[in-house]
Amino acid sequence: MEIGILGTGMVGQNIGAKLFWLGHNVMIGTRDVSKTMARTDPDMYGNPPFSEWIKQNSKIKMGSFAEAAAHGELIINATTGLVSMEALKLVGKENLDGKILMDIANPLDFSKGTPPFLSICNTDSLGEQIQRAFPKVRVVKTLNTVNAMVMVNPKKLKGADHSIFLSGNDAGAKCTVKELLKSMGWKDIIDLGDITTARGTEMILPIWIRLYGVFESPVFNVKVVR
Amino acid sequence: MEIGILGTGMVGQNIGAKLFWLGHNVMIGTRDVSKTMARTDPDMYGNPPFSEWIKQNSKIKMGSFAEAAAHGELIINATTGLVSMEALKLVGKENLDGKILMDIANPLDFSKGTPPFLSICNTDSLGEQIQRAFPKVRVVKTLNTVNAMVMVNPKKLKGADHSIFLSGNDAGAKCTVKELLKSMGWKDIIDLGDITTARGTEMILPIWIRLYGVFESPVFNVKVVR
């Protein structure tokens, strides 16, 4: 599949590399290509800069947000939740309408320190905001409840015996995303319902962050036992 | 142990019966004893009225909120989250100070229909509100992420191979509550940290409610896989 990824951070890199490895034609997009390529410092976790990563993954294309979205039949929002709406506006409706948009971002606000709070929650969600702003886009919220390493390699953890969630209004789009998740190794995929159910998965983040603190590792997930 | 339970609904009844069965001396409290005893209709789920239940559990004492709290060394807040603060004010500091208060309520607001929203969340929680209002009470938030049936019988579900959380500022109180949970059959008890971590567990409710819809059953829980 032609896949466009918005966001060059750890999440964009991990999912981009995984989907390329699975045989997809991947383009990764950023706000300002020359600025992103000019960065030479490691990120806040000590990972090498994007320019190093793209050199090592040279078959993954790179472009602006709009170019990456234009490239994709399926687009992945891997931007930081607080700037997702802005990034999607830069992409433009013309590059999004009719396509599947996998929204894997979370609206975490660190502006008042740690732990962060959610900039949207309870009676709304980032997933819903995106769907309202782009009514012709087939938004599917998923993968936002796990760290990038678990996301692309669920089998690493208890042989993938843990759960991932789907929220979205378009049954066909959810079906396509479900198949993509299966190809990535996911087994227990729970369709929660329409895009308003994204509130529930985004609101897992506050306990997720506390569990990260308790375990001193982001490599965990939940299994819904029933 | 002398245990006082605030709230005569399904949660209060289930945990009261379980703790009595485990050998504790239980008193269950309500706002207005005569009003509660006078109800003859089944509840919204078709369960018999409280007066029937207390007849069948005649060794469990009954009293006002204040009497139940005065009776307990450990007090359980099993009231509806929206009225918990009011119920605790009726109890009074004199019946609470220095004691352990297990807060198992959730601030779910159904006033705008289903699904409910949380009346407090994100930058605050019911657990924190209670702790702030009663600074000398040793508040431990727990059990609010599961249905009453799972709460009192975790082994029913996958032999109790699923998780329950603790939040609270008082290490000794959390230790006592942990032992009580173990006696109820809980195995994977995760101490999240201080009372502010109650935000995380209360914010699980929105996905919990959607999962209830998907499974058409409240008998499920999450296992934190790590």
Side-chain angles (χ1 to χ4, degrees):
Chain A
M1 202 167 10
E2 310 292 316
I3 295 179
I5 297 174
L6 311 178
T8 54
M10 283 309 297
V11 176
Q13 290 178 27
N14 272 277
I15 201 161
K18 176 76 176 196
L19 293 172
F20 175 77
W21 185 83
L22 287 170
H24 299 285
N25 187 5
V26 176
M27 183 184 272
I28 191 163
T30 187
R31 185 188 299 254
D32 183 329
V33 173
S34 54
K35 233 180 184 170
T36 299
M37 291 301 285
R39 269 187 224 122
T40 52
D41 294 334
D43 73 5
M44 59 186 286
Y45 304 103
N47 299 301
F50 181 79
S51 54
E52 283 299 312
W53 180 86
I54 197 82
K55 238 185 263 172
Q56 286 155 26
N57 293 273
S58 59
K59 289 185 180 167
I60 294 180
K61 298 173 187 69
M62 194 199 173
S64 67
F65 281 145
E67 286 166 339
H71 166 88
E73 312 161 54
L74 181 145
I75 297 154
I76 298 175
N77 175 31
T79 62
T80 305
L82 290 189
V83 303
S84 292
M85 290 303 294
E86 199 189 328
L88 289 165
K89 277 172 198 158
L90 289 171
V91 167
K93 282 185 170 51
E94 63 280 13
N95 295 312
L96 290 169
D97 280 358
K99 296 181 181 177
I100 296 172
L101 178 67
M102 252 173 78
D103 173 31
I104 64 177
N106 282 303
L108 287 175
D109 190 331
F110 288 85
S111 66
K112 288 177 186 165
T114 301
F117 59 97
L118 292 167
S119 66
I120 318 158
C121 76
N122 204 17
T123 53
D124 200 3
S125 62
L126 178 62
E128 287 165 88
Q129 285 200 348
I130 294 172
Q131 186 63 84
R132 280 200 305 274
F134 300 92
K136 290 182 181 162
V137 176
R138 303 154 78 199
V139 179
V140 180
K141 185 99 202 182
T142 191
L143 290 177
N144 61 310
T145 54
V146 289
N147 166 270
M149 285 175 281
V150 176
M151 201 180 278
V152 300
N153 193 7
K155 286 180 184 163
K156 197 179 173 175
L157 203 60
K158 232 189 158 189
D161 187 20
H162 45 93
S163 311
I164 202 77
F165 308 100
L166 289 180
S167 305
N169 298 340
D170 186 300
K174 283 195 281 194
C175 185
T176 302
V177 170
K178 196 172 181 177
E179 289 309 311
L180 197 67
L181 294 180
K182 278 186 192 167
S183 74
M184 291 166 71
W186 287 95
K187 291 176 186 172
D188 187 28
I189 304 165
I190 302 175
D191 184 348
L192 291 173
D194 69 25
I195 193 66
T196 67
T197 62
R199 292 174 204 176
T201 60
E202 294 178 11
M203 286 169 83
I204 285 181
L205 267 289
I207 193 169
W208 189 94
I209 284 159
R210 297 306 192 130
L211 288 168
Y212 186 175
V214 171
F215 303 143
E216 297 181 346
S217 163
V219 182
F220 64 89
N221 191 18
V222 294
K223 165 75 180 178
V224 181
V225 177
R226 66 271 197 193
Chain B
M1 202 167 9
E2 310 293 316
I3 295 179
I5 297 175
L6 311 177
T8 53
M10 282 310 296
V11 176
Q13 289 178 26
N14 271 277
I15 201 161
K18 176 75 176 196
L19 292 173
F20 175 76
W21 185 83
L22 286 171
H24 299 285
N25 186 5
V26 176
M27 183 185 272
I28 192 163
T30 187
R31 185 187 300 255
D32 184 328
V33 174
S34 54
K35 232 179 186 170
T36 299
M37 291 301 286
R39 270 186 223 122
T40 52
D41 294 335
D43 74 5
M44 58 186 286
Y45 304 103
N47 299 302
F50 180 79
S51 54
E52 283 300 312
W53 180 86
I54 197 80
K55 240 186 260 170
Q56 287 155 26
N57 293 271
S58 59
K59 289 188 180 164
I60 295 181
K61 298 173 187 69
M62 195 199 172
S64 66
F65 282 145
E67 285 166 338
H71 165 87
E73 312 160 54
L74 182 146
I75 298 153
I76 299 176
N77 174 31
T79 61
T80 306
L82 289 189
V83 303
S84 291
M85 291 303 295
E86 199 190 328
L88 290 166
K89 276 171 199 158
L90 289 172
V91 166
K93 282 184 171 51
E94 63 279 13
N95 294 313
L96 291 168
D97 280 358
K99 296 180 180 177
I100 297 173
L101 178 67
M102 254 174 76
D103 173 32
I104 64 178
N106 282 303
L108 288 174
D109 190 331
F110 288 84
S111 65
K112 288 176 184 165
T114 300
F117 59 97
L118 291 167
S119 66
I120 318 160
C121 76
N122 205 16
T123 53
D124 201 2
S125 61
L126 177 60
E128 287 166 88
Q129 286 200 348
I130 294 172
Q131 185 64 85
R132 280 199 306 274
F134 300 91
K136 290 182 182 162
V137 175
R138 303 155 77 200
V139 179
V140 180
K141 185 100 204 182
T142 192
L143 291 178
N144 61 310
T145 54
V146 289
N147 166 271
M149 283 176 282
V150 177
M151 201 180 279
V152 300
N153 193 7
K155 286 180 185 164
K156 196 178 174 176
L157 204 59
K158 232 192 159 188
D161 187 20
H162 45 93
S163 311
I164 201 77
F165 308 101
L166 288 180
S167 304
N169 297 341
D170 187 301
K174 284 195 281 194
C175 185
T176 302
V177 170
K178 196 171 180 177
E179 290 308 312
L180 196 68
L181 295 179
K182 279 187 193 169
S183 75
M184 290 167 71
W186 286 96
K187 291 176 185 171
D188 188 27
I189 303 165
I190 301 175
D191 183 348
L192 291 172
D194 68 25
I195 194 66
T196 67
T197 63
R199 293 174 203 176
T201 59
E202 293 178 11
M203 288 170 81
I204 285 181
L205 268 288
I207 192 168
W208 188 94
I209 284 159
R210 298 306 192 129
L211 287 168
Y212 185 174
V214 171
F215 303 142
E216 297 179 348
S217 162
V219 182
F220 64 88
N221 190 19
V222 295
K223 164 75 181 178
V224 181
V225 177
R226 67 271 200 191

